[in-house]
Amino acid sequence: MALKAIKAGTRNDSGIVAAKELLAARFGERFQAGEAVRAQHTHTTTYIPAQLPDAVVFPESGAEVREIVKIASAHRVPLIPFGTGSSLEGHVNAPHGGISVDMMRMNRVLAVNAEDLDCTVEPGITREDLNTYLRDTGLFFPIDPGANASIGGMASTRASGTNAVRYGTMKENVLAVTAVAADGREISTGHRARKSSAGYDLTRLFVGAEGTLGIVTSITLRLQGIPEVISGGVCPFPTIADACNAVILTIQSGIPVARIELLDALQMKACNAYSNLNYEETPTLFVEFHGSAESVELQSRQFAEIASELGSTGFIWTTNPEERSRLWKARHNAYWAQKGLVPGAAILSTDVCVPISRLADCVAATQEDSAAHGLVAPIVGHAGDGNFHVGLLFDDKDPADVARAEAFVERLNARALSMDGTCTGEHGIGQGKMPFLKAELGDALDLMRQIKRALDPDNIFNPGKIFA
Amino acid sequence: MALKAIKAGTRNDSGIVAAKELLAARFGERFQAGEAVRAQHTHTTTYIPAQLPDAVVFPESGAEVREIVKIASAHRVPLIPFGTGSSLEGHVNAPHGGISVDMMRMNRVLAVNAEDLDCTVEPGITREDLNTYLRDTGLFFPIDPGANASIGGMASTRASGTNAVRYGTMKENVLAVTAVAADGREISTGHRARKSSAGYDLTRLFVGAEGTLGIVTSITLRLQGIPEVISGGVCPFPTIADACNAVILTIQSGIPVARIELLDALQMKACNAYSNLNYEETPTLFVEFHGSAESVELQSRQFAEIASELGSTGFIWTTNPEERSRLWKARHNAYWAQKGLVPGAAILSTDVCVPISRLADCVAATQEDSAAHGLVAPIVGHAGDGNFHVGLLFDDKDPADVARAEAFVERLNARALSMDGTCTGEHGIGQGKMPFLKAELGDALDLMRQIKRALDPDNIFNPGKIFA
């Protein structure tokens, strides 16, 4: 984060006026420039102040996206792709002005290939809608970042979430995309084969590009069979280190755990208060196992043995769906529980990711840091990936508190980088993490810039993100 | 393939002379220009005629690679990175002349982080040497392309092989690389976190770039725990379709099969003859399961049920290591068995990959094609990925036979593309698959060219590969 660093960029006012006229004429009511709709298109769960686009356009097909890109290219006007607005680092702000391209009307399922465990969708479909659509096929799309995000947004931020430990991130689960490039051509990065060695991996280049290289118009995804049985469990540990060591042993033993989430003591306290529960207020793992009844039973027993070795006495688990929901309720409501810790406070949700051997150290040092600075900062981690979130509660109206929050986030990122980690495991860079990317990747950032300039010479695609 | 299409490119003779002098002065005996050593550095298992480099240099560190790149850049001289020479599509040829950079002295293990299941190695280490090194840690690097390839070569061709169905390809298993860019800087694409959303995925850009974007100097890999128990089995089926349907059901059921290899009837006949076995000469799956004793037993039973539903009566499996080796011997010797089918013939090993629902159709149509043209072309497939190899036996001295082989490969690739597949699942493009890449990716190829030009403006890195 660096609230102070995010300045408005230079605007190409004459180009924007020209593009607005052309788009208004072409798209009629599907082009809107009212303040409310513009504000909506920067209203996200981010802590970063909004920078409104000049207008919003609502395409309904790849062909329409091509028209929009051609107009924007001709007049050198920024285009900011928009999904559900659940990004966290200012990805949909318009620091140079320009046009927000709302992709949510492109929300069709184009194909489901059940035998191949894949489907092709438009970017505006949300993951929940996709899974509702898929239910009858016996398949599901596993990536679950928490929010009911659009698939396009998830691809563009390389999202992951709770079950990436088993199913991977968007990087592993996008087989191909189509995208409109700066010259207005719609290109396809691949086909439906499960693997390919055919040239540069353009698919992975678009996954995580945050809309800066083109506008994604369709996405081919890998799917999974809905597990026959799901078991869920909750397991308290004496210390963060014990919990993290249980995670390491679980992964090393090859137990295909589907979710393994770490909540620190403060987060457990928040959950108890918010959801009226009475869990121990100690570091706790929430786990989930997928498979046949026999396999889930086996995995749960193997995990129980590991937990017991690490000093846990209270592992409870179940395969009963209702009971499982009850057990996991605390985890599901974690964000709202955080907000309850300091009524009225703003919340800054940030993420870093470190090698799992360093997770305990990184979490413990972060707890010490927040304690030393009098900050309220509960922690929830995707422990199997070494990825954790801090939900820092602060007063966004008080400049001193904002400055303390900023300084905390700076220290958090420096800490993760010093442990051979990354400044973001799943939220992306957007505007908020730009200052840390250089620290993380050094000269490699220049290669990214070279690629950006090569594919988007006029910098029309989501300018002012990833690198200023 | 397109033997006829691979012409020598234009040479920068004065630059090559100048670079050779500088490299000779700097590297002494680690710079060699004799014909034998130059020929060695294009002698691979490819069917494509050799195009020798002008010299070979043997760096021993990233710093030395930087020196080499600076000299090559200053004089605009091609650099062709070389590993074990086991690539199959002419990747190490020097159509524009230039310097082969033999990476095999850079073969150290730089770090093993057992708790994080990762390691960092230099590119010249082979996968077998790496696994020997790792044995005491209880970990292994799973990717097995058959040949004892170098890790750098495997990363650069996005290799995979028999157990990609469970463990993924190099794409999923490379966490980060360091590489020397065209301007001589050594950049790092990432750190050791298991996932990251920090900017463009440069790691995946270098994986599969076939040495055309820079020279990789170190690679951080994900490792796996050595399975407690491995079971191996062999399972004959009445038809290719039955075998492929068993594969589809196995994957859909979520059975984490570690290897599932398809050998067609001709390949089984070749194996029986070569290894003095008496398997049924019918389409056969070779399977392997990894896990605890309990889990392997469960997986094997689940697979047996599926095989039985699909009409197989002869599934045999074992967890005894010697017995397992005996069962799998046919698969391991498949390449040599192919050669035995037509003594003295050359062998053209080519690969395509299709969605698994199309695998049976693609294999059957390919068998019909070879029968119709009187070709001997046994088939071995990584069936879980829809990837298969044809080992076409032909007389490389007879222009008519070469032409028939070329035409067969052209039809094979067109067939795979018509089934929404790719012209190469794991061998890469090199020189041999260049004609098919345009057919597969269309305008997306222009984006690859733009990236290549941006990162390597003087075209010094392995020119004449991927795109001419």
Side-chain angles (χ1 to χ4, degrees):
Chain A
M1 158 163 113
L3 301 187
K4 57 200 164 200
I6 299 161
K7 302 198 189 94
T10 47
R11 288 173 53 86
N12 167 15
D13 279 310
S14 62
I16 290 172
V17 168
K20 280 175 69 174
E21 272 177 28
L22 289 165
L23 291 167
R26 167 64 183 82
F27 288 93
E29 291 191 352
R30 289 192 286 121
F31 176 84
Q32 295 180 23
E35 188 171 350
V37 74
R38 293 191 291 122
Q40 250 171 31
H41 284 78
T42 54
H43 178 74
T44 68
T45 34
T46 186
Y47 55 91
I48 295 175
Q51 295 167 319
L52 273 55
D54 291 279
V56 183
V57 64
F58 299 81
E60 293 179 351
S61 69
E64 290 191 352
V65 174
R66 294 185 58 197
E67 289 183 64
I68 293 165
V69 169
K70 282 178 183 167
I71 290 170
S73 264
H75 297 279
R76 304 194 175 197
V77 169
L79 294 177
I80 303 107
F82 186 88
T84 64
S86 55
S87 67
L88 288 159
E89 296 290 352
H91 293 86
V92 296
N93 266 342
H96 302 261
I99 312 296
S100 175
V101 186
D102 185 314
M103 304 301 290
M104 297 307 285
R105 296 191 184 195
M106 289 178 62
N107 62 355
R108 290 173 300 174
V109 176
L110 301 176
V112 176
N113 303 290
E115 284 196 320
D116 297 314
L117 283 79
D118 71 51
C119 69
T120 299
V121 300
E122 290 183 324
I125 192 168
T126 66
R127 64 176 186 85
E128 287 179 8
D129 284 350
L130 174 58
N131 278 325
T132 301
Y133 185 99
L134 290 172
R135 198 170 291 155
D136 293 341
T137 65
L139 302 174
F140 79 120
F141 178 66
I143 314 295
D144 175 4
N148 185 22
S150 70
I151 297 295
M154 288 170 62
S156 293
T157 52
R158 208 179 294 127
S160 45
T162 48
N163 53 26
V165 63
R166 170 150 180 172
Y167 299 107
T169 73
M170 290 302 280
K171 167 163 70 68
E172 286 83 19
N173 287 282
V174 174
L175 282 169
V177 303
T178 59
V180 177
D183 62 9
R185 287 189 295 182
E186 191 169 11
I187 59 99
S188 165
T189 65
H191 300 284
R192 293 200 301 108
R194 285 167 63 98
K195 65 184 195 188
S196 173
S197 286
Y200 300 161
D201 192 344
L202 295 179
T203 305
R204 250 50 57 185
L205 191 62
F206 276 93
V207 171
E210 303 188 5
T212 64
L213 297 178
I215 297 187
V216 170
T217 49
S218 77
I219 303 164
T220 299
L221 297 168
R222 288 177 82 146
L223 302 174
Q224 301 284 335
I226 296 174
E228 262 177 72
V229 177
I230 298 175
S231 80
V234 178
C235 190
F237 286 87
T239 67
I240 288 282
D242 293 326
C244 290
N245 284 330
V247 173
I248 290 170
L249 277 177
T250 302
I251 306 277
Q252 274 185 339
S253 309
I255 303 171
V257 60
R259 307 186 204 244
I260 188 160
E261 298 282 298
L262 172 67
L263 277 62
D264 78 349
L266 177 58
Q267 179 68 55
M268 290 304 292
K269 183 181 164 187
C271 291
N272 277 343
Y274 180 80
S275 299
N276 197 22
L277 300 165
N278 56 0
Y279 283 119
E280 275 185 66
E281 291 175 3
T282 180
T284 301
L285 292 178
F286 287 68
V287 293
E288 198 172 281
F289 302 102
H290 295 176
S292 64
E294 231 173 324
S295 148
V296 157
E297 161 87 26
L298 178 62
Q299 294 174 57
S300 304
R301 272 195 286 116
Q302 288 172 327
F303 175 78
E305 275 170 40
I306 289 169
S308 162
E309 275 174 44
L310 271 306
S312 176
T313 54
F315 179 45
I316 45 174
W317 66 280
T318 177
T319 58
N320 176 295
E322 281 159 32
E323 178 69 5
R324 178 163 58 79
S325 292
R326 203 186 56 75
L327 285 182
W328 266 72
K329 191 176 167 191
R331 171 64 189 89
H332 287 305
N333 292 331
Y335 177 79
W336 301 107
Q338 287 177 355
K339 289 196 86 107
L341 279 173
V342 184
I347 192 159
L348 186 162
S349 179
T350 189
D351 90 309
V352 295
C353 187
V354 295
I356 58 176
S357 68
R358 306 308 305 276
L359 180 60
D361 289 347
C362 200
V363 168
T366 302
Q367 290 175 322
E368 283 164 27
D369 183 342
S370 52
H373 292 82
L375 298 167
V376 178
I379 288 174
V380 179
H382 308 314
D385 295 325
N387 183 203
F388 70 95
H389 302 272
V390 184
L392 180 63
L393 293 144
F394 74 117
D395 178 356
D396 59 351
K397 306 289 182 296
D398 174 0
D401 219 33
V402 170
R404 285 201 305 162
E406 287 180 341
F408 172 83
V409 171
E410 275 172 29
R411 292 190 300 273
L412 173 64
N413 280 280
R415 188 178 303 125
L417 298 189
S418 78
M419 294 179 176
D420 220 0
T422 174
C423 67
T424 173
E426 58 184 23
H427 290 176
I429 298 297
Q431 299 177 308
K433 290 287 176 104
M434 285 194 294
F436 310 117
L437 189 61
K438 174 74 186 173
E440 178 170 336
L441 290 178
D443 289 344
L445 203 55
D446 291 338
L447 271 69
M448 294 188 197
R449 282 187 216 275
Q450 287 164 1
I451 292 166
K452 166 72 171 173
R453 275 197 291 264
L455 299 191
D456 182 20
D458 293 326
N459 199 21
I460 64 165
F461 292 124
N462 210 5
K465 314 298 161 61
I466 300 183
F467 18 69
Chain B
M1 157 163 114
L3 300 188
K4 57 200 163 199
I6 300 162
K7 303 198 187 95
T10 47
R11 290 173 51 87
N12 167 14
D13 278 312
S14 62
I16 290 171
V17 169
K20 280 175 68 175
E21 271 176 29
L22 289 166
L23 291 168
R26 167 63 184 83
F27 288 93
E29 291 193 352
R30 289 193 285 123
F31 175 85
Q32 295 181 24
E35 187 170 353
V37 73
R38 293 191 293 122
Q40 246 170 33
H41 284 78
T42 55
H43 178 75
T44 69
T45 33
T46 187
Y47 56 91
I48 295 175
Q51 295 167 317
L52 272 55
D54 291 279
V56 184
V57 65
F58 298 81
E60 293 179 351
S61 68
E64 289 190 352
V65 174
R66 293 185 59 199
E67 290 183 64
I68 293 165
V69 169
K70 282 178 184 168
I71 289 170
S73 265
H75 297 279
R76 306 194 173 195
V77 168
L79 295 177
I80 303 106
F82 186 88
T84 63
S86 55
S87 67
L88 288 160
E89 295 290 353
H91 292 88
V92 296
N93 266 342
H96 301 262
I99 311 297
S100 175
V101 185
D102 184 312
M103 304 302 292
M104 298 307 286
R105 297 191 184 194
M106 289 178 63
N107 62 354
R108 290 173 299 173
V109 176
L110 302 175
V112 176
N113 303 288
E115 285 197 317
D116 297 315
L117 283 79
D118 71 51
C119 70
T120 300
V121 301
E122 290 183 325
I125 192 168
T126 66
R127 63 175 187 86
E128 287 179 7
D129 284 349
L130 173 58
N131 278 326
T132 302
Y133 185 98
L134 290 172
R135 198 170 291 154
D136 294 340
T137 65
L139 302 174
F140 79 119
F141 178 66
I143 314 295
D144 175 5
N148 184 21
S150 70
I151 297 295
M154 288 170 63
S156 292
T157 52
R158 208 180 291 128
S160 46
T162 48
N163 54 25
V165 62
R166 170 151 180 170
Y167 298 107
T169 73
M170 290 303 281
K171 167 163 71 67
E172 285 83 17
N173 286 284
V174 174
L175 282 169
V177 303
T178 59
V180 177
D183 62 9
R185 288 188 295 181
E186 190 169 11
I187 58 99
S188 165
T189 65
H191 299 285
R192 293 200 302 109
R194 284 167 65 98
K195 65 184 196 188
S196 173
S197 286
Y200 300 161
D201 193 344
L202 295 179
T203 305
R204 250 50 58 184
L205 191 63
F206 276 93
V207 171
E210 302 187 6
T212 64
L213 297 178
I215 297 187
V216 170
T217 49
S218 78
I219 303 163
T220 299
L221 298 167
R222 288 177 82 147
L223 302 174
Q224 301 285 335
I226 295 174
E228 263 178 72
V229 177
I230 297 175
S231 80
V234 179
C235 189
F237 286 87
T239 67
I240 288 283
D242 294 325
C244 289
N245 284 329
V247 173
I248 290 170
L249 278 177
T250 302
I251 306 277
Q252 274 184 339
S253 309
I255 302 171
V257 60
R259 307 185 204 245
I260 187 160
E261 298 283 299
L262 172 67
L263 277 62
D264 77 350
L266 177 58
Q267 179 68 54
M268 290 304 292
K269 182 180 166 190
C271 291
N272 277 342
Y274 180 80
S275 300
N276 198 21
L277 301 165
N278 56 0
Y279 283 120
E280 276 184 64
E281 290 174 4
T282 179
T284 300
L285 292 179
F286 287 68
V287 292
E288 197 172 282
F289 302 101
H290 295 177
S292 64
E294 233 172 321
S295 150
V296 156
E297 160 86 26
L298 178 62
Q299 294 175 56
S300 303
R301 272 195 287 115
Q302 287 173 328
F303 175 79
E305 276 171 39
I306 289 169
S308 161
E309 275 174 44
L310 271 307
S312 175
T313 53
F315 179 44
I316 45 172
W317 65 281
T318 177
T319 58
N320 175 295
E322 282 160 31
E323 178 69 5
R324 178 162 59 77
S325 291
R326 203 185 58 74
L327 285 182
W328 266 71
K329 190 174 168 194
R331 171 63 189 90
H332 286 304
N333 291 333
Y335 177 80
W336 301 108
Q338 287 177 355
K339 289 195 84 107
L341 280 173
V342 184
I347 192 160
L348 186 161
S349 178
T350 189
D351 91 310
V352 294
C353 187
V354 295
I356 59 174
S357 69
R358 307 307 305 276
L359 180 60
D361 289 348
C362 199
V363 168
T366 303
Q367 289 175 324
E368 284 164 26
D369 183 343
S370 52
H373 291 83
L375 298 167
V376 179
I379 289 174
V380 178
H382 308 314
D385 295 324
N387 183 203
F388 70 93
H389 303 269
V390 184
L392 180 65
L393 294 144
F394 74 116
D395 179 355
D396 59 351
K397 306 290 182 295
D398 174 359
D401 219 33
V402 170
R404 285 200 307 161
E406 287 180 340
F408 172 83
V409 171
E410 276 172 30
R411 292 190 300 273
L412 173 65
N413 280 278
R415 189 177 302 125
L417 298 189
S418 77
M419 294 180 176
D420 220 359
T422 175
C423 68
T424 173
E426 57 184 23
H427 291 176
I429 299 296
Q431 298 178 309
K433 290 288 176 104
M434 286 195 293
F436 310 117
L437 189 60
K438 175 74 185 171
E440 178 170 338
L441 290 178
D443 289 343
L445 203 56
D446 291 338
L447 271 69
M448 294 188 196
R449 281 186 215 276
Q450 286 163 3
I451 293 167
K452 167 71 170 173
R453 276 197 292 263
L455 300 191
D456 182 20
D458 292 326
N459 199 20
I460 64 166
F461 291 125
N462 210 4
K465 314 298 161 62
I466 301 184
F467 17 69

